[in-house]
Amino acid sequence: NGKRNGFGIMKWTTGCTYEGQWKDDTMDGQGKYTTDDGKVYKGIFKDNRLDGMRFDRGVPEFIPEPRANKYSI
């Protein structure tokens, strides 16, 4: 279906990374999100959320960048 599913690593041009489980193109399952300034968030993600929080490069409201960014499985 062209969507990210399973384990993968996303690296944004901003320097942020996510390493963990994906489901239907969203961070979903066990994962680790690292901000460009080195803050690390680990835990269970669901629909791009970690423990009820959302991220946008380390602050509320995560907005993924275009798929042209590096992604590997």
Side-chain angles (χ1 to χ4, degrees):
N1 67 6
K3 295 183 179 181
R4 297 175 186 98
N5 285 287
F7 180 83
I9 299 171
M10 175 68 125
K11 297 180 180 181
W12 286 270
T13 56
T14 59
C16 298
T17 62
Y18 173 75
E19 180 175 348
Q21 296 296 314
W22 293 84
K23 179 179 177 187
D24 293 330
D25 241 8
T26 62
M27 296 180 291
D28 198 293
Q30 188 69 37
K32 177 176 81 170
Y33 182 88
T34 306
T35 64
D36 59 343
D37 62 358
K39 293 179 184 147
V40 176
Y41 300 90
K42 294 180 183 178
I44 303 296
F45 288 76
K46 178 71 176 163
D47 296 325
N48 285 339
R49 293 178 182 262
L50 172 64
D51 295 334
M53 298 175 67
R54 292 182 69 83
F55 302 101
D56 175 11
R57 297 168 190 86
V59 295
E61 286 303 310
F62 175 75
I63 303 167
E65 292 187 20
R67 295 191 80 174
N69 291 296
K70 185 172 182 164
Y71 173 76
S72 60
I73 53 173

